[in-house]
Amino acid sequence: MKHITFTVTNDLSFDQRMQRICNSLASNGYRITLVGRKLKSSKPLCQSNYSQKRLYCFFTKGFLFYAEYNIRLFLFLLFQKTDAICAIDLDTILPCLITSKLKNKKRIYDAHELFTELKEVRTRPHIFKIWTLVERISVPHFDYSYTVGQGIANEFNRRYNKHFEIIRNMPLLKSLPKDIQRNEKLLYQGAVNEGRCLEKLIPAMQSLDYKLIVCGSGNFMNQLKELIIKYKVENKIELKGMILPNELFHITQQCALGINLVERGGLNQYLSLANKFFDYIHAGIPQITMNFPEYSFINQQFEIALLIDDVNEETIVTKINGLMTDKVKWKQLHENCLKAREILNWQEEEKRLLSFYNKVFDN
């Protein structure tokens, strides 16, 4: 039984992609350890068929956090018996690279995004230089790599002449209740971070007669709360914070429309294929999303969303009001979601994952 160790910097309770990957591999003959971060607010870990390890850090953000976490992760990996180490994104890649070389173990890179093109990285020159250097000295040394979409895979190939497999972040196909009571509510789920156009969505809520549910947290949360007060829309917005996956799926089903807006400025945003995009599809709710390559390609196949080119308050209001009042169009997109989820699901994507890891150990 081959042992694979995965490394992330987030709280393991809410990382649905890693939960799916680890569960699939553990169910198919691999021994799995998932290493993440322990926070004071961390909820107890759910029982799983793989091992989970949380590393506690004194520092919780910024350079000191990354430095401390990487040191703790290096020490953990150094004494961990494993056959392969998989780094998730750049923020855990250096300990994985060093320990895999020292111990002569297979090393794998799973890029959830184009990390150096994140807005919070790209707009800070000193931070950008550091992460770019980390990428250049590490990614070329990983023999096996995969990512979440074709656009990011193409960019890595352009930068380093390396092939990245595609394993998209699709939900597990689960049955939907036949008697869902959908409310006329809007839903934003996922990271509440810079670059998600929340500074445009919140003022737009002044002209919308619907309630917005926000499920998630991130580096833009304080600014989000300030915007809600500034535009006096406290009665229209409900902040639920971090929600466990099963509860989140239940909440999503009860809403009428999903929101997936992203700034066009950075390459990571332009090439993105967000988790929420598939989560909305699986809950059977249409969405407002970006006219970016990955979203446009899937929408051409299934038409499950209204695409938006220019994110501004007027366009947001027009698109949302238009779809919420056009019951015929809403039902068409809803029915298309139900068809798309039968194809775009983890049961199908899991086949790619297992094929990838079988090749890793066959070699």
Side-chain angles (χ1 to χ4, degrees):
M1 184 179 287
K2 297 297 184 181
H3 185 190
I4 310 169
T5 302
F6 292 91
T7 63
V8 298
T9 58
N10 53 30
D11 189 323
L12 305 183
S13 297
F14 305 100
D15 195 329
Q16 295 188 64
R17 176 174 170 86
M18 291 314 304
Q19 291 172 7
R20 284 191 281 267
I21 286 174
C22 293
N23 181 69
S24 292
L25 292 171
S27 299
N28 284 274
Y30 292 94
R31 182 185 166 204
I32 303 298
T33 299
L34 175 60
V35 187
R37 174 186 184 185
K38 183 175 179 63
L39 298 165
K40 291 181 179 179
S41 59
S42 292
K43 296 183 179 181
L45 291 170
C46 295
Q47 187 174 2
S48 65
N49 61 353
Y50 54 90
S51 299
Q52 300 176 83
K53 172 68 177 178
R54 282 170 165 168
L55 303 178
Y56 178 79
C57 290
F58 178 78
F59 299 101
T60 58
K61 60 182 180 180
F63 172 78
L64 291 177
F65 160 69
Y66 285 111
E68 181 185 5
Y69 185 83
N70 274 260
I71 292 170
R72 290 182 183 274
L73 180 59
F74 169 75
L75 294 174
F76 174 82
L77 293 174
L78 192 61
F79 296 100
Q80 170 84 344
K81 291 184 178 180
T82 190
D83 298 295
I85 300 173
C86 181
I88 311 301
D89 287 326
L90 288 184
D91 46 2
T92 68
I93 200 169
L94 288 179
C96 296
L97 173 63
I98 296 169
T99 53
S100 62
K101 280 184 171 291
L102 289 174
K103 302 173 74 172
N104 194 28
K105 302 298 180 182
K106 294 181 182 293
R107 51 186 167 273
I108 304 155
Y109 183 43
D110 177 353
H112 287 193
E113 52 200 346
L114 200 56
F115 197 90
T116 56
E117 295 295 330
L118 289 168
K119 182 177 181 180
E120 53 266 40
V121 173
R122 179 175 49 84
T123 57
R124 301 158 70 188
H126 181 65
I127 301 298
F128 176 75
K129 288 180 181 178
I130 292 174
W131 286 117
T132 299
L133 178 62
V134 170
E135 183 183 277
R136 287 175 179 171
I137 65 177
S138 57
V139 171
H141 294 282
F142 279 72
D143 300 319
Y144 309 96
S145 304
Y146 58 97
T147 187
V148 295
Q150 189 62 57
I152 294 178
N154 292 343
E155 179 61 18
F156 275 120
N157 183 264
R158 185 192 69 79
R159 292 183 182 187
Y160 303 110
N161 194 29
K162 285 184 65 67
H163 175 70
F164 274 66
E165 294 285 348
I166 312 300
I167 301 172
R168 293 173 294 181
N169 194 16
M170 296 179 179
L172 193 70
L173 183 62
K174 297 183 288 188
S175 61
L176 287 173
K178 294 182 180 180
D179 56 345
I180 299 174
Q181 298 297 316
R182 296 189 188 275
N183 303 307
E184 288 201 331
K185 293 181 179 179
L186 315 175
L187 175 67
Y188 174 91
Q189 68 173 70
V192 181
N193 284 347
E194 295 181 23
R196 268 59 170 191
C197 297
L198 293 164
E199 69 280 4
K200 306 287 180 61
L201 178 61
I202 300 306
M205 290 301 299
Q206 296 176 108
S207 304
L208 292 167
D209 294 326
Y210 309 105
K211 189 168 186 177
L212 171 65
I213 309 294
V214 179
C215 297
S217 187
N219 60 32
F220 196 75
M221 183 57 77
N222 290 336
Q223 294 94 315
L224 175 63
K225 292 176 180 178
E226 291 172 1
L227 287 169
I228 292 171
I229 296 171
K230 177 181 178 181
Y231 291 101
K232 301 178 181 178
V233 289
E234 296 94 331
N235 62 325
K236 293 184 177 182
I237 299 177
E238 182 179 353
L239 302 179
K240 285 188 171 292
M242 299 296 288
I243 303 293
L244 291 173
N246 286 339
E247 184 183 352
L248 180 59
F249 184 57
H250 179 71
I251 293 171
T252 307
Q253 294 171 46
Q254 297 178 327
C255 293
L257 184 63
I259 307 296
N260 180 26
L261 301 178
V262 189
E263 284 184 4
R264 198 182 186 96
L267 191 59
N268 182 65
Q269 289 95 319
Y270 184 65
L271 300 177
S272 64
L273 188 55
N275 304 344
K276 64 176 74 69
F277 178 73
F278 295 112
D279 289 340
Y280 296 152
I281 293 173
H282 273 250
I285 66 171
Q287 60 185 287
I288 307 295
T289 192
M290 304 305 300
N291 191 16
F292 291 170
E294 299 286 358
Y295 304 124
S296 176
F297 176 74
I298 294 176
N299 203 53
Q300 287 172 14
Q301 294 176 288
F302 299 102
E303 195 185 4
I304 41 73
L306 291 186
L307 302 183
I308 188 169
D309 291 295
D310 182 25
V311 182
N312 57 61
E313 294 173 36
E314 182 180 354
T315 305
I316 292 172
V317 172
T318 300
K319 288 283 187 179
I320 292 176
N321 273 334
L323 187 51
M324 292 290 281
T325 55
D326 188 341
K327 301 303 180 183
V328 174
K329 185 65 174 179
W330 186 95
K331 185 177 180 181
Q332 177 191 349
L333 298 184
H334 163 67
E335 291 176 350
N336 289 344
C337 286
L338 299 183
K339 295 174 184 177
R341 70 194 295 272
E342 297 293 328
I343 299 170
L344 303 174
N345 58 63
W346 185 249
Q347 282 89 333
E348 293 298 319
E349 207 68 12
E350 180 189 59
K351 298 173 184 177
R352 294 171 176 253
L353 177 80
L354 296 176
S355 175
F356 175 87
Y357 277 96
N358 288 340
K359 290 176 183 178
V360 169
F361 289 104
D362 284 347
N363 292 336

